[in-house]
Amino acid sequence: MDIGQFFVDQKLATRQQVEEARRTATGGRVDRQLVSMGVMSEEQALRAFADDLGMQYVSVKDRAIDPELLRQFPTTAIFRHEILPLERQNGHVTVATSDPFEFEALDELAALGGVQVEPVLAIREEIVDAIKQHLGVGGDTINQLVAQRSAEGVEILDDIPSELGELAESAQAPSVIRLVNELLVESLEQRASDVHLEPQENGFVIRFRVDGLLRVQPVPPEIHHFSSAIVTRLKIMSRLNIAEKRLPQDGRINVRVKGREVDVRVSIIPMLHGEGVVLRLLDKQRMNFSLASVGMPTTISDPFNKLISLPHGIVLVTGPTGSGKTTTLYSALNEIKSPETKIITVEDPVEYHMDGISQIQVHSKIGLTFAAGLRSILRHDPDVVLIGEIRDGETATSAIQASLTGHLVFSTLHTNDAPSAFTRLVDMGVEPYLVASTVEGVLAQRLLRLLCKECKKPVPIDSLERPEDFSTNGLTELYQPVGCRTCREIGFSGRNGVFELLLNDAEIRRLCTEQASASIIREYALKQQHMMTLRQCGYGMVLDGRTTLDEVIRITRGDAS
């Protein structure tokens, strides 16, 4: 078959497009290059082949597959050729493939399974997802089946000690190395921020945190035999003590995955059934430190830009862990960074390396705490100082002193909303009049999941349960999640910040000096400053069709005015 001419005859491509595909298809087939060029979709190509070759086109997404049928075939061929047995019919087995001309793969599967196979066509990504779902991530590695995956490419950028003793031999086996690499690749493909490896009494659970929520990953049940080797391999990569299994350990891995440089923070804690591991993935290519990309509405971004341009004072960003505080602060630093401005940060740990900014890593064991580091860096003549987190009274007092001596101080604080930041500092032991005179503004934030643009659908607003404080603004429809291949059937893809900005003024200074409660400060800010709460900011995103009411309520519970 002349594939190029075939698609011209099918009116799916022009002769010029076919010629272009032939010129640019380096070692690949014309049909795949046409799909890559966007001339046609993979589904259109497969349906055309199916009609011409008398084959059937199917969707394997969400299709139930008999585990007994899969156990009849070695997983080697399934993973290597990306073909999947679907069902047994009339004495033969229906097998899904994305390549109608892959005869050798089908013959191999038939010979290994001892049955006759009948191919049907399906989209490659659907087949791969189904294989991972039913056989588990890294299932071929677990079964010690070598699948040559040239695109895997996980390169450790730091040197690993070569002599680690007998304990490391199993962890350095090619199969274990490959399994850990596959986990890293899969987590990045799913845009995970954290990977949780959790030993259980009856197995080993792996979960990815994607857009703030954890997802259990399908893995072969035999993976618990490799759990110790996996943990040891991660210890070796992060240069930790592989013999220590009784104490928590923290480390770091710098790797390049498929050409992307990724910083991995490793935390290992001994648990009842073994050592639990959490990997925090910092994908440097995905980070864009600019206030425009943070997603602030103009009603907040305009006053916040003025706030970070002040000559001195304290600017606080508050919120729970994982709410994007560090990203917002880095974006603010990037906004005011210039050759005329000396910026120094004290962080634990330094999450992202930024050019033009001096960054210091906290080392509590040797006495380099936030407070001690801040006292030292003030002698380095900075204009702007970033303190990673105000955790105690000593650090809070040091930040106050830095602002009183003419420095602009950025820091984070763990509070539920912006007004609570004033009372929290007082609770830490700082004099109320000092808090009132130095804190210039507080930004509280959360991260909301965004609806997938490819599959979100409008629904009548009357069919949804609405909170009492939600105003429809005359709209008759809101958007709801559906789920598609782009968002991996979740219905959401990506996250955006919601914000609450409280600016200090004479009345708030008076309230703070008199040690008024956070609720009184909040009530004043809502009435006199017309402060937009976290929930109101989220409602704006709902009305814009970017997220759902349920998502806003989930994230901002208790923030309604």
Side-chain angles (χ1 to χ4, degrees), residues 12 50 134 182 260 282 324 394 458 535:
L12 290 174
H134 292 285
E182 287 176 3
R260 295 154 62 186
L282 304 174
E394 186 183 9
R535 179 165 286 197

Side-chain angles (χ1 to χ4, degrees), residues 333-459:
L333 292 181
N334 223 21
E335 202 76 20
I336 63 175
K337 182 177 67 175
S338 72
E340 295 80 28
T341 305
K342 172 85 169 187
I343 302 175
I344 303 180
T345 73
V346 188
E347 304 169 67
D348 182 22
V350 175
E351 293 193 1
Y352 300 99
H353 303 282
M354 299 184 69
D355 294 332
I357 295 176
S358 304
Q359 296 171 278
I360 298 173
Q361 171 87 42
V362 166
H363 290 288
S364 301
K365 292 181 180 178
I366 60 173
L368 181 53
T369 60
F370 281 120
L374 183 55
R375 285 195 298 271
S376 299
I377 64 177
L378 290 181
R379 293 192 286 271
H380 267 245
D381 188 30
D383 299 296
V384 180
V385 175
L386 167 64
I387 306 171
E389 181 184 346
I390 295 179
R391 297 176 178 172
D392 50 43
E394 186 183 9
T395 307
T397 301
S398 298
I400 296 286
Q401 294 300 325
S403 68
L404 290 173
T405 52
H407 301 88
L408 181 61
V409 180
F410 293 128
S411 191
T412 68
L413 203 61
H414 286 288
T415 61
N416 289 328
D417 57 11
S420 300
F422 290 91
T423 55
R424 177 63 56 84
L425 290 174
V426 173
D427 290 342
M428 287 181 176
V430 182
E431 291 293 339
Y433 73 91
L434 289 176
V435 176
S437 61
T438 55
V439 176
E440 297 292 342
V442 184
L443 180 77
Q445 73 176 75
R446 301 288 190 278
L447 290 177
L448 283 182
R449 293 186 298 168
L450 297 176
L451 284 165
C452 175
K453 296 178 181 178
E454 301 296 326
C455 64
K456 66 178 183 179
K457 69 172 183 179
V459 297

